[in-house]
Amino acid sequence: MTMEKGNFFQDRDRYLFEPFEEAFFHWDHRRRTVHMKFAGTDVEVEVPHDHRIFNDAILSGREVDQAAYARGSTHG
């Protein structure tokens, strides 16, 4: 599912998962920052908006909920 960067990121925080790299992203809409962590880890780093894997997540990833991001897993 392709997501548009415009309005999609304006109204609330978003959590994305990019399955090929097994990477999670948290878009903080108030601070306008992107945070990334890999599946199975708790280590979160801020990345630039033009980060390749973040843009891959927008193009071919999917939105997940905050709980999946916090767990670092798409499995409940």
Side-chain angles (χ1 to χ4, degrees):
M1 168 181 101
T2 300
M3 293 169 251
E4 295 292 327
K5 274 189 172 179
N7 292 334
F8 182 78
F9 290 99
Q10 299 306 313
D11 61 342
R12 64 182 174 94
D13 285 10
R14 300 289 182 156
Y15 301 88
L16 306 176
F17 177 66
E18 198 289 307
F20 183 74
E21 300 282 353
E22 296 187 348
F24 287 89
F25 294 90
H26 169 213
W27 162 254
D28 184 321
H29 84 285
R30 288 190 179 95
R31 292 187 180 113
R32 302 186 58 80
T33 57
V34 180
H35 302 272
M36 175 185 140
K37 69 180 188 177
F38 287 102
T41 69
D42 292 328
V43 178
E44 180 183 74
V45 296
E46 188 173 332
V47 296
H49 297 113
D50 62 353
H51 189 277
R52 182 190 59 81
I53 304 173
F54 176 57
N55 283 283
D56 288 349
I58 293 169
L59 293 173
S60 61
R62 66 181 186 271
E63 187 170 15
V64 296
D65 61 18
Q66 183 179 9
Y69 179 85
R71 282 191 313 272
S73 172
T74 59
H75 302 91

